Amino acid sequence: GQQVQQSPASLVLQEGENAELQCNFSTSLNSMQWFYQRPEGSLVSLFYNPSGTKQSGRLTSTTVIKERRSSLHISSSQITDSGTYLCAMESRGSALGRLHFGAGTQLIVIP
Amino acid sequence: NAGVIQTPRHKVTGKGQEATLWCEPISGHSAVFWYRQTIVQGLEFLTYFRNQAPIDDSGMPKERFSAQMPNQSHSTLKIQSTQPQDSAVYLCASSHPGTGEDTQYFGPGTRLLVL
């Protein structure tokens, strides 16, 4: 079954609005990463966050292990934030190392 | 630091031909991963090396796909007798396990089109 579920699938914001992207996982977590995928396809690592809260500029990631969820908060969105956001988890146990990706949230920020 | 390097960036092959994709990990990184991305399946794990040794190839199609890491500075993914369903973006990533933050850094990908 699908181990990582992301929501929403797509989101349209007006510039300046905030966004909350969710990632839920069904197995025990070893680590969680959030990525931004540029329109041309390259993946940029945003956070490595196995637990707790991390912030970088306008981005905040929070992972709550016992609730099996992680979120990415984007504050004061900008047009350049448009693109696809992917979460990926590394499971504990025999599958250590490999990342399981969610299907992504496509974000469009309009003026 | 040039990041993870992948070549070629684009490759077009005819059905039945062979395709070899190259990846150069970030210098000093001991783990190398291969993934592929399609519209239908999303991003899927293929295989993983650590210190050049194959660790997990559970995502690799059993026929036609093979991966090697002959030295610490490059890995190859070879697809024999390519089929149209192999068309995808193939992504390579590297990481430095054991540092407490095992972030995987991705290359720009190789876009493979099989006609």
Side-chain angles (χ1 to χ4, degrees):
Chain A
Q2 198 165 8
Q3 297 192 34
V4 184
Q5 298 203 337
Q6 277 190 255
S7 60
S10 61
L11 185 60
V12 180
L13 297 177
Q14 277 206 305
E15 198 173 11
E17 290 184 326
N18 299 332
E20 186 90 4
L21 312 181
Q22 297 288 344
C23 182
N24 292 280
F25 44 93
S26 58
T27 60
S28 296
L29 182 76
N30 192 61
S31 70
M32 170 66 69
Q33 275 191 255
W34 281 92
F35 294 90
Y36 167 67
Q37 187 162 37
R38 295 192 178 107
E40 93 277 8
S42 59
L43 279 171
V44 177
S45 177
L46 298 175
F47 291 104
Y48 176 91
N49 188 16
S51 67
T53 298
K54 290 190 174 182
Q55 183 176 3
S56 176
R58 296 182 292 108
L59 303 181
T60 304
S61 168
T62 299
T63 299
V64 184
I65 294 174
K66 62 181 180 181
E67 295 179 14
R68 297 197 168 180
R69 63 174 177 87
S70 183
S71 64
L72 178 69
H73 183 85
I74 305 172
S75 62
S76 303
S77 60
Q78 299 177 0
I79 292 171
T80 51
D81 293 334
S82 297
T84 301
Y85 291 81
L86 293 156
C87 66
M89 66 163 289
E90 179 191 5
S91 295
R92 287 186 182 278
S94 60
L96 208 62
R98 60 187 292 181
L99 291 177
H100 300 267
F101 282 83
T105 293
Q106 185 172 19
L107 176 66
I108 298 172
V109 182
I110 58 176
Chain B
N1 188 342
V4 176
I5 298 171
Q6 288 189 251
T7 55
R9 294 293 308 277
H10 302 271
K11 187 170 183 65
V12 181
T13 67
K15 182 179 172 181
Q17 292 185 328
E18 183 178 285
T20 300
L21 314 180
W22 294 71
C23 171
E24 181 179 330
I26 292 171
S27 177
H29 281 194
S30 58
V32 172
F33 304 81
W34 285 96
Y35 298 85
R36 70 176 171 184
Q37 186 174 28
T38 61
I39 300 279
V40 174
Q41 298 293 334
L43 253 159
E44 302 175 289
F45 168 82
L46 293 175
T47 189
Y48 158 38
F49 295 86
R50 186 164 176 175
N51 294 321
Q52 299 173 234
I55 302 298
D56 180 358
D57 68 353
S58 58
M60 291 275 273
K62 295 308 174 194
E63 296 178 357
R64 303 187 296 106
F65 282 65
S66 62
Q68 293 184 324
M69 191 161 184
N71 57 59
Q72 63 185 10
S73 64
H74 89 273
S75 175
T76 57
L77 179 67
K78 185 180 290 187
I79 309 172
Q80 294 178 310
S81 187
T82 54
Q83 302 297 309
Q85 62 265 30
D86 299 332
S87 297
V89 177
Y90 289 82
L91 292 157
C92 177
S94 71
S95 72
H96 190 26
T99 60
E101 184 160 314
D102 298 344
T103 304
Q104 291 188 25
Y105 295 93
F106 280 76
T110 294
R111 192 173 295 269
L112 176 67
L113 176 62
V114 182
L115 301 175

